[in-house]
Amino acid sequence: MKCNFWKMGLAAALTLTGIGVTAPQKTVDAATLKEPVKRVQISCLPNKDVKIWTNYEGGQLISFRAKNKSKWNVAKIAVDRKGRLWYMIGDSEWIEARYTEDLETKADARTAHEQVKPAATKKKNKQIKPKKVLKIPKKQKVQKQKVVVPSLNNVINKKSNKNNVSTINVANNSISDNVSKRAQAVVNLAKSQLGKGYAWGGNGPDNYDCSGLVQYVYNQAGGIKLPRITTDQVKVGQTVAMSQLQPGDLLYWGSPDAPYHVGIYVGNNQYVSAATPEQGVVLQSISSYFYPCVAKRVLQ
């Protein structure tokens, strides 16, 4: 009994004198959420842990932290006033998304690697067939060379080719006009979806998730059938510099190989995306706090 009173007195003395006690860590996997949005793993520097807050917007720091390499179910996704992405991993427990990586993406990458490896091995196992050696006869007859005189038709064809240059230029102009019209149609349709709801796996036309919105808009207005998820969509199109963005380009956040968010650039440094369950489909400006990792041009 005396020992217990002595421990309690020591703890109180440490608190009064300002000696801090190391915050406990959450080391076990969080799997209590029935319908998680996705599953992530803490990925930060070795021997470091991630702070957990009661709210993503001006919340208080919780006494325990998420240990590096621990796995969590994400219940909600949100973006704060500074444009930073947050994950809700429990009741009133939020962490910054930049300290995590998607477990589904890692699993897909491993599966793809395993599928490619056997195919590569099969190619190596194929034996190279020896080329047939052509037998050259000892005596070869020398053939007389024929003198080719350019015909009148060839001269006429050369002149007609010069006249075709203007026709090619007209065709190129019509192609660029067509691309511009399709890009504007994509921008108009994307803006018309503003205010609609967010739903994980939503394909429209009433609610969307980020990749579902992009797939719907490009299919309806751009005439292009894009893949369903961001990690496949980012493989389509040509990479463009952020300084050369054009309306209709796609913006991605996260990693260039495995992004977690996508939006449609509409001009004036703005983009449309299905952001979070709280925000739905919104028009936002490109921010230095929430800056895209890569941009792709699909309409060409």
Side-chain angles (χ1 to χ4, degrees):
M1 191 70 176
K2 289 180 180 179
C3 182
N4 290 336
F5 279 119
W6 181 82
K7 288 180 180 178
M8 291 173 63
L10 178 60
L14 289 173
T15 306
L16 290 172
T17 53
I19 299 175
V21 181
T22 305
Q25 302 169 349
K26 273 200 168 184
T27 57
V28 297
D29 291 358
T32 56
L33 302 172
K34 294 181 180 179
E35 296 181 359
V37 174
K38 59 180 176 179
R39 193 160 169 78
V40 297
Q41 176 177 288
I42 302 297
S43 178
C44 55
L45 294 174
N47 302 321
K48 296 289 183 180
D49 307 307
V50 176
K51 296 177 181 178
I52 304 178
W53 304 82
T54 57
N55 193 291
Y56 68 91
E57 200 73 84
Q60 296 180 348
L61 187 62
I62 294 178
S63 59
F64 53 81
R65 300 183 181 185
K67 189 177 180 182
N68 189 30
K69 301 301 180 185
S70 60
K71 302 176 181 63
W72 303 84
N73 286 342
V74 176
K76 291 182 180 179
I77 300 174
V79 179
D80 62 16
R81 286 190 296 269
K82 294 183 178 180
R84 294 175 298 191
L85 190 67
W86 290 77
Y87 290 156
M88 181 179 174
I89 58 172
D91 294 334
S92 300
E93 296 178 1
W94 292 83
I95 60 173
E96 283 194 63
R98 57 177 173 166
Y99 299 120
T100 67
E101 57 184 7
D102 292 357
L103 288 175
E104 290 81 0
T105 304
K106 290 178 67 179
D108 293 343
R110 283 198 301 269
T111 308
H113 179 69
E114 290 169 0
Q115 291 175 352
V116 172
K117 194 174 180 181
T121 355
K122 286 181 181 178
K123 287 183 180 179
K124 288 181 181 178
N125 292 335
K126 287 185 178 180
Q127 295 180 354
I128 301 171
K129 295 181 180 179
K131 295 181 180 179
K132 293 181 179 179
V133 180
L134 297 176
K135 294 182 179 179
I136 302 173
K138 292 181 180 179
K139 294 182 180 179
Q140 293 183 347
K141 293 181 179 180
V142 179
Q143 296 181 352
K144 295 181 179 179
Q145 295 182 352
K146 295 180 180 179
V147 178
V148 179
V149 179
S151 64
L152 183 61
N153 291 333
N154 292 335
V155 176
I156 294 171
N157 288 336
K158 287 181 181 178
K159 290 183 178 179
S160 63
N161 287 337
K162 290 181 180 178
N163 296 331
N164 285 338
V165 174
S166 59
T167 311
I168 294 170
N169 291 336
V170 173
N172 289 337
N173 290 336
S174 63
I175 291 171
S176 61
D177 289 343
N178 182 35
V179 171
S180 300
K181 289 178 181 178
R182 289 163 64 201
Q184 190 58 49
V186 165
V187 170
N188 293 341
L189 183 57
K191 286 184 175 180
S192 70
Q193 306 305 303
L194 293 175
K196 292 191 176 182
Y198 180 99
W200 179 256
N203 296 315
D206 298 321
N207 48 55
Y208 307 90
D209 61 11
C210 64
S211 56
L213 174 66
V214 169
Q215 185 189 50
Y216 175 83
V217 169
Y218 264 84
N219 187 23
Q220 297 294 322
I224 295 177
K225 291 184 179 180
L226 290 176
R228 178 59 184 83
I229 60 175
T230 54
T231 50
D232 291 334
Q233 289 177 354
V234 76
K235 298 173 184 176
V236 181
Q238 177 186 1
T239 302
V240 293
M242 294 298 295
S243 59
Q244 298 177 352
L245 288 177
Q246 294 180 6
D249 290 344
L250 295 180
L251 304 176
Y252 294 90
W253 285 263
S255 161
D257 298 324
Y260 59 79
H261 189 60
V262 61
I264 302 172
Y265 183 70
V266 295
N268 298 324
N269 203 44
Q270 293 180 316
Y271 62 94
V272 172
S273 73
T276 65
E278 290 79 8
Q279 294 173 303
V281 180
V282 291
L283 176 67
Q284 294 174 303
S285 297
I286 298 175
S287 165
S288 58
Y289 295 102
F290 189 54
Y291 200 74
C293 63
V294 69
K296 293 282 186 172
R297 182 163 299 156
V298 179
L299 296 171
Q300 297 180 13

